[in-house]
Amino acid sequence: MMPCTVCVKINDRLNINGELCTVKYIGSIPAWPNTVAYGVEWDHDRRGKNNGSLQGVTYFSTTDNRTSGSFIKEKALLSTMIHDISFEEALLMKYGDNRTRSSDIKYTFGSKETEAYGFERLNESNSNFSQLKSITLSQTNINKATNPDIQDSMVFNNLFTSVQYLDLSFNLFSDINEVYRILTRFPCVKTLVLSGNCFPVLKIDDESFKFPQVKEISLARCKLKNNDLDEILTVFPSLEIIDLSCNFLTDLTVIQSSWKQLNISGNMFSKIPAQLLTKGSSLTHIEVSNNKITELDGLPTNEKIESLRIDANNIQNWNEIDKCNNIFPNLRTLWVQKNPIVEPDTQANFYNTIARISSLTCVNGTPINEELRKEAELYFISQVVSGQIHLDDHYRDHNDSSVWEHLVKKHKIDTKATRSEMRPRNFLDAEMSDLTIVYGSHSEKIPILKSISVRFLKTLLRHKLHVPGSSSSSIKLQYSVREDATRHEFRYEFSPLALYNIEESTVYVNT
């Protein structure tokens, strides 16, 4: 193995031409026999070319065996590497007095040495620092708390008692203890942002590190695995809001009762951890988007959850959506789009979701008022009784609190009628129209709610009849009233069908 001639070590975090990476190997490879090769794992997979192996030889391993690894020659590394700095340097450069420049600070970068930062200016800056409420030092190449070349750190020895928000995201920390050393100077910080930092060294080196003042933490895109998280959470015993999105988590082994909001989107969960919903939990908001969840089985009832993001998973059965009524009886906000069961993203599927979960006041970011809920529920009922939607017995007849029983009572459906006798006009005479839909040579009679808009009718027919085009704007509708052969245009896209008095009429679909 060739000797390393620059001060770069295994597990160091580097910024190379604006892209962050972790050093995983230093040595030689057969392709470059006369230079030192650096094996790095990029934070962004798109920069990688391999998983740390070349021609059958493994030099290092990437996270989850992804192709996020590359080898770089020493000369190329030196010419493209952006030098790291300390937190103290970054603080002085950004928040010092208006005359402060990076050239005012005595720090060594390679072979260059900058000028000393004067005591008068330092005292002025200390005065400025005492007024700070928040500090944002994202993407400033910080890798340590202080510069060891400084004998007495006058800035960092102060306590920053006014600062409540500290953003250290997308920096070059390799040892998380450097972050903890910074936090010791911020006794009132409530929000800590560490997203985009990868920490090869997570073991605590000082048992006194405990930060109960921190209530909110962001650890998105830190390449964390289950055991990594356990190490970090012991230091923050009073968290309420936690962002763990876009990591490599498959489970949560440590859960704190103080948590109120949790984001574990973009991980590798196959189910929502049941321990999140235990009676002692304080959680009200959970985000599990972009995971591998297929079902909601085995979850206890939790009356505290008000908001759930479960979009972009692999839910393929409406029964799983129905289970939300029992598991989350007080659920108000639900994001469920980009699951197979609600694809394509049609108004019909949107109505379906609203009608199936009676407690919702917002779906996929759209507020639900009483008028919209009524429209959705009547549409859902019409689809059930016309045979377009088939409900399993457990959904329809489970108990008096089931959604179907709720809809039966709310809209006064005659449950004594047989299934074949339950036609829309038995209980929706004032709400339904039987329209004959003509598209080319195809003709079909469809019961339609008169309260829906012309625009929604276009959306419904585009999907039902497989009309080509990416949007409903490509469809043109005309109607003919009863036996009148004259075709009329729908004048207003967002007007309800009831405006046109077209009961038992013919609607023509054109493109």
Side-chain angles (χ1 to χ4, degrees):
M1 179 180 293
M2 299 187 64
C4 173
T5 57
V6 295
C7 189
V8 175
K9 307 181 297 299
I10 298 292
N11 287 334
D12 276 359
R13 298 274 294 155
L14 303 179
N15 182 335
I16 299 177
N17 276 339
E19 291 284 351
L20 306 186
C21 64
T22 303
V23 178
K24 303 299 265 312
Y25 172 80
I26 303 174
S28 61
I29 59 175
W32 303 333
N34 299 317
T35 186
V36 175
Y38 292 82
V40 302
E41 179 180 3
W42 300 100
D43 286 9
H44 295 293
D45 291 354
R46 69 177 184 271
R47 284 296 307 269
K49 297 180 179 179
N50 53 62
N51 62 356
S53 298
L54 291 176
Q55 299 178 338
V57 178
T58 299
Y59 295 91
F60 64 94
S61 297
T62 57
T63 305
D64 207 38
N65 203 35
R66 299 192 174 197
T67 56
S68 52
S70 293
F71 291 90
I72 306 174
K73 291 181 179 179
E74 182 177 78
K75 183 177 180 180
L77 187 87
L78 286 172
S79 63
T80 57
M81 184 175 70
I82 300 175
H83 290 281
D84 54 65
I85 62 175
S86 69
F87 171 81
E88 184 177 39
E89 294 171 81
L91 188 66
L92 284 168
M93 290 178 186
K94 184 170 182 178
Y95 293 99
D97 68 88
N98 294 333
R99 295 171 293 168
T100 304
R101 300 290 184 270
S102 60
S103 58
D104 292 325
I105 311 170
K106 184 180 179 180
Y107 299 122
T108 301
F109 295 151
S111 60
K112 298 180 180 179
E113 185 173 280
T114 60
E115 297 178 4
Y117 187 79
F119 284 101
E120 291 182 2
R121 294 193 188 180
L122 187 58
N123 289 332
E124 292 175 13
S125 291
N126 285 343
S127 177
N128 292 338
F129 295 151
S130 66
Q131 306 301 315
L132 290 175
K133 301 292 185 182
S134 66
I135 292 177
T136 300
L137 293 172
S138 179
Q139 303 181 66
T140 47
N141 302 310
I142 301 171
N143 76 331
K144 51 186 172 290
T146 60
N147 191 317
D149 293 336
I150 301 177
Q151 296 296 321
D152 185 17
S153 175
M154 293 186 64
V155 173
F156 197 68
N157 283 341
N158 291 334
L159 286 179
F160 297 81
T161 55
S162 297
V163 176
Q164 297 188 17
Y165 177 92
L166 179 59
D167 183 354
L168 299 175
S169 59
F170 295 94
N171 277 292
L172 301 178
F173 295 103
S174 58
D175 186 345
I176 200 170
N177 289 282
E178 294 296 326
V179 174
Y180 299 157
R181 291 184 184 97
I182 293 170
L183 276 178
T184 60
R185 317 313 302 165
F186 294 86
C188 298
V189 161
K190 294 182 179 179
T191 301
L192 175 65
V193 184
L194 296 177
S195 298
N197 287 287
C198 298
F199 300 103
V201 180
L202 284 165
K203 187 175 179 59
I204 303 171
D205 63 16
D206 187 337
E207 293 299 325
S208 68
F209 287 148
K210 280 284 190 297
F211 306 103
Q213 76 272 21
V214 177
K215 304 299 181 183
E216 178 178 358
I217 192 168
S218 179
L219 289 161
R221 300 187 182 279
C222 292
K223 295 195 174 184
L224 296 174
K225 293 189 174 182
N226 299 348
N227 293 336
D228 299 335
L229 184 60
D230 297 350
E231 290 278 353
I232 298 173
L233 291 178
T234 60
V235 176
F236 302 100
S238 305
L239 292 174
E240 296 179 358
I241 302 174
I242 312 97
D243 183 357
L244 301 172
S245 59
C246 301
N247 283 291
F248 293 90
L249 303 173
T250 61
D251 197 7
L252 293 175
T253 56
V254 175
I255 295 175
Q256 299 170 349
S257 60
S258 60
W259 294 359
K260 295 181 180 179
Q261 299 180 30
L262 174 65
N263 185 351
I264 50 176
S265 300
N267 279 278
M268 303 173 70
F269 289 88
S270 59
K271 58 183 179 180
I272 298 177
Q275 58 268 39
L276 291 176
L277 307 179
T278 56
K279 290 184 178 180
S281 172
S282 300
L283 281 170
T284 59
H285 296 70
I286 299 178
E287 296 186 29
V288 289
S289 309
N290 287 285
N291 277 282
K292 301 177 180 180
I293 297 170
T294 59
E295 58 184 27
L296 302 181
D297 282 345
L299 296 178
T301 298
N302 186 294
E303 297 181 352
K304 295 180 180 178
I305 299 299
E306 299 175 359
S307 176
L308 175 66
R309 289 203 66 149
I310 198 168
D311 43 308
N313 276 281
N314 193 31
I315 297 174
Q316 304 185 42
N317 194 314
W318 279 109
N319 288 342
E320 302 307 318
I321 306 300
D322 300 337
K323 290 173 185 176
C324 288
N325 288 287
N326 291 327
I327 299 172
F328 309 109
N330 292 315
L331 189 64
R332 299 290 181 264
T333 300
L334 175 68
W335 296 76
V336 73
Q337 74 268 44
K338 296 184 181 179
N339 277 282
I341 191 60
V342 292
E343 291 292 329
D345 185 15
T346 63
Q347 191 81 6
N349 283 330
F350 177 61
Y351 280 176
N352 231 338
T353 305
I354 295 172
R356 286 173 180 267
I357 305 177
S358 57
S359 60
L360 292 178
T361 58
C362 183
V363 173
N364 300 332
T366 300
I368 303 169
N369 56 29
E370 286 301 317
E371 183 179 351
L372 177 57
R373 173 161 289 283
K374 178 181 178 182
E375 184 173 322
E377 290 177 350
L378 292 177
Y379 174 79
F380 177 75
I381 292 169
S382 70
Q383 293 290 289
V384 172
V385 299
S386 64
Q388 302 296 313
I389 293 177
H390 300 279
L391 298 182
D392 289 346
D393 289 341
H394 85 274
Y395 174 90
R396 191 173 60 252
D397 304 319
H398 179 62
N399 55 48
D400 289 341
S401 63
S402 69
V403 174
W404 183 250
E405 289 293 333
H406 168 72
L407 295 178
V408 164
K409 292 178 180 179
K410 182 176 180 179
H411 297 285
K412 300 178 181 178
I413 301 172
D414 183 7
T415 57
K416 295 180 180 179
T418 64
R419 198 69 182 155
S420 60
E421 292 172 340
M422 288 177 62
R423 301 300 182 193
R425 295 201 177 279
N426 287 84
F427 54 92
L428 292 176
D429 283 338
E431 304 290 343
M432 304 295 297
S433 292
D434 284 332
L435 301 181
T436 300
I437 307 298
V438 177
Y439 176 50
S441 60
H442 177 79
S443 179
E444 178 182 359
K445 181 167 282 192
I446 302 176
I448 298 292
L449 281 169
K450 290 187 290 186
S451 60
I452 68 172
S453 67
V454 174
R455 186 174 182 83
F456 172 52
L457 179 61
K458 286 185 176 183
T459 301
L460 183 67
L461 294 178
R462 181 169 71 88
H463 292 290
K464 183 175 181 61
L465 302 176
H466 305 289
V467 179
S470 58
S471 69
S472 300
S473 60
S474 60
I475 292 179
K476 297 180 180 179
L477 297 183
Q478 295 176 310
Y479 65 94
S480 176
V481 181
R482 291 189 172 88
E483 297 180 359
D484 183 355
T486 304
R487 297 187 184 183
H488 306 275
E489 300 286 343
F490 289 100
R491 290 168 295 171
Y492 308 109
E493 283 276 293
F494 296 97
S495 60
L497 294 179
L499 178 69
Y500 300 92
N501 192 26
I502 57 172
E503 292 185 24
E504 300 180 4
S505 298
T506 300
V507 173
Y508 299 90
V509 181
N510 304 297
T511 57

